[in-house]
Amino acid sequence: MSLRYAVLTLLDIEPGSGYDLKRRFERSVSHFWSASHQQMYRELHKLHEEGLLDCTEQRQEGKPDKKIYSLTEMGRAALREWVQRPASAQKIREPFLIQLFAGHLLDREQAREAVQRQLREHRALLQGYEEQNERVLQRDPAVNERYWLAHQTLLLGIEAEKTWIAWAENLLLQLEQK
């Protein structure tokens, strides 16, 4: 997948400015796809040049005009074509697991601290996902029905964090016994 389809998807849901898009990205797909602010703006400009996005300027008092992007019919067709293609499963890319793979270079206390640090981070991620899920469940049922599959990505994130936490807690118990 590329950033272009994340951008097209988010603008299919609702038109918006680059700033709006970045905020939406951070609240949704950033949990499983990353992009910098600069990458997002470059992609917006490229998609607009390719005719996949329309751009209208909205006047603002005392500020530069705001550019509002929306999908063109060509953009919607490109998104529809892409979403129907099979996607291959991706392998995990987790720097901490490489560090753990070299864990024989750590003493027991260093290993425990490293796992505990990751455990805190994953617990915080889980809490954030669960809070986001509560907000989703409070939305208009018609909106939830339309974006039911998008919601499934959040539920997978919750389950993945629960699994990660259980694995790390078990690893800490094993480190205590060594």
Side-chain angles (χ1 to χ4, degrees), residues 91-97:
K91 294 181 180 179
I92 296 172
R93 288 185 64 172
E94 177 63 56
F96 175 69
L97 295 180

Side-chain angles (χ1 to χ4, degrees), residues 101-114:
F101 197 73
H104 60 279
L105 300 172
L106 302 172
D107 65 36
R108 225 179 302 163
E109 185 56 32
Q110 290 172 317
R112 267 196 303 272
E113 287 174 11

Side-chain angles (χ1 to χ4, degrees), residues 26 31 81 98-99 106 138 159-160 168:
E26 289 169 353
H31 302 300
E81 177 190 323
I98 296 293
Q99 291 177 322
L106 302 172
Q138 299 302 316
E159 292 306 313

